[in-house]
Amino acid sequence: MKSFCHQVSSKFLFAGLLSCLFLQSAFAASSATIKGKVYDSESKDPLPGATVIIKGTSIGAATGLNGDFEIASAPSGMHTIIISYIGYASDTESVNIPESQTLLKDFYLVAMAVQAKNVIVTAQAQGQMQAINTQLTSNTIINVVSSEKIHELPDDNAATALSRLPGVSLMNGDQVVIRGVQAKLNQILINGIELPSTDMNTR
C-alpha cells in the first residue's frame, strides 16, 4: 500500500512538472517584445523617464536618456498601451503585438499647460519690474537689480549692493568677485559702453 501511494504521488508530481513546463513554453512562444521611443509631439525631442505600460498588466518600461524603451515578455495580440510623462497629457494607443516577434512603435505626447493659482503682485516698483522682466527674457543675464532697488538698500556704494546677489562677494572692500573669479576678470558696462578701470591691475 505504501509503495502504491508512492507510485501515485510520483506520477502526479511528474504530471505537474510537465504541465508547468508546457505553460512556460506556451507563454514564451506567445510573448513578444515592444521597442520604440517617446517624443514631444511638437518639438520632436525625446522624453527621458516616460513610462510605457501595457494596460491591465504590470508589464512596462521607462524610457532612457534618448527616449527609447524596450518591453520584453509582452503578451501577443491586441492590447492598449498607456504612455505618460510629467507635464504631458497621457496617451493610450491600441496595438497588435505579433506573436514571438518584435513590434517597433514610437509614441508622441502633447505638452499639457500647468494651471496654477492666481499670482498677485503688489507695490512693485516699475524699475525693478523691468529688471525682473529683463532677467526672465535673457539667455545670459542671471540676476538684475534696478537703480530704484539699490536706492532702497542701506549700502554706501554699488559694489556693496551687488554683493547681496547670490554668488557675488567683495574683495578689498570694493572689488566685485563673481563665484570666486578674480575681480580683474570682470567687465563693467554702462549703457553698453565698457567702463575703464581706475586701477591698472584690474578692469
Side-chain angles (χ1 to χ4, degrees):
M1 182 69 179
K2 194 172 184 180
S3 177
F4 174 76
C5 292
H6 178 71
Q7 291 178 358
V8 172
S9 60
S10 299
K11 289 181 179 179
F12 275 108
L13 179 61
F14 180 72
L17 290 174
L18 287 179
S19 299
C20 291
L21 292 175
F22 176 77
L23 290 175
Q24 289 179 354
S25 61
F27 178 77
S30 62
S31 64
T33 302
I34 307 175
K35 289 184 178 181
K37 288 189 175 184
V38 179
Y39 296 96
D40 181 295
S41 62
E42 185 175 351
S43 65
K44 302 302 183 293
D45 292 332
L47 299 179
T51 57
V52 184
I53 297 178
I54 301 176
K55 186 177 181 180
T57 71
S58 59
I59 302 174
T63 58
L65 294 177
N66 296 323
D68 51 339
F69 70 92
E70 178 177 349
I71 301 176
S73 300
S76 59
M78 290 297 301
H79 291 277
T80 301
I81 307 296
I82 303 175
I83 313 98
S84 58
Y85 188 71
I86 296 176
Y88 287 75
S90 298
D91 188 23
T92 58
E93 288 195 29
S94 296
V95 296
N96 187 11
I97 305 174
E99 183 176 339
S100 303
Q101 297 183 28
T102 299
L103 172 66
L104 300 178
K105 179 67 176 178
D106 294 337
F107 301 98
Y108 297 84
L109 296 181
V110 179
M112 181 174 54
V114 178
Q115 297 184 1
K117 296 181 180 179
N118 294 334
V119 178
I120 301 176
V121 180
T122 59
Q124 175 66 275
Q126 184 68 23
Q128 183 64 12
M129 185 165 57
Q130 292 178 353
I132 293 175
N133 289 333
T134 302
Q135 174 182 330
L136 294 176
T137 57
S138 174
N139 293 327
T140 56
I141 297 176
I142 304 300
N143 293 101
V144 176
V145 179
S146 67
S147 58
E148 289 87 351
K149 190 66 176 178
I150 293 178
H151 283 304
E152 296 176 2
L153 300 174
D155 301 318
D156 56 356
N157 57 61
T160 306
L162 291 177
S163 66
R164 295 177 178 272
L165 295 174
V168 179
S169 59
L170 293 183
M171 183 177 66
N172 299 329
D174 61 352
Q175 298 180 8
V176 178
V177 176
I178 302 176
R179 299 192 184 280
V181 180
Q182 298 182 25
K184 66 180 182 180
L185 299 178
N186 294 336
Q187 185 179 23
I188 300 176
L189 306 176
I190 296 182
N191 295 329
I193 301 175
E194 184 174 356
L195 183 69
S197 175
T198 57
D199 189 343
M200 294 295 294
N201 296 322
T202 68
R203 292 185 181 179

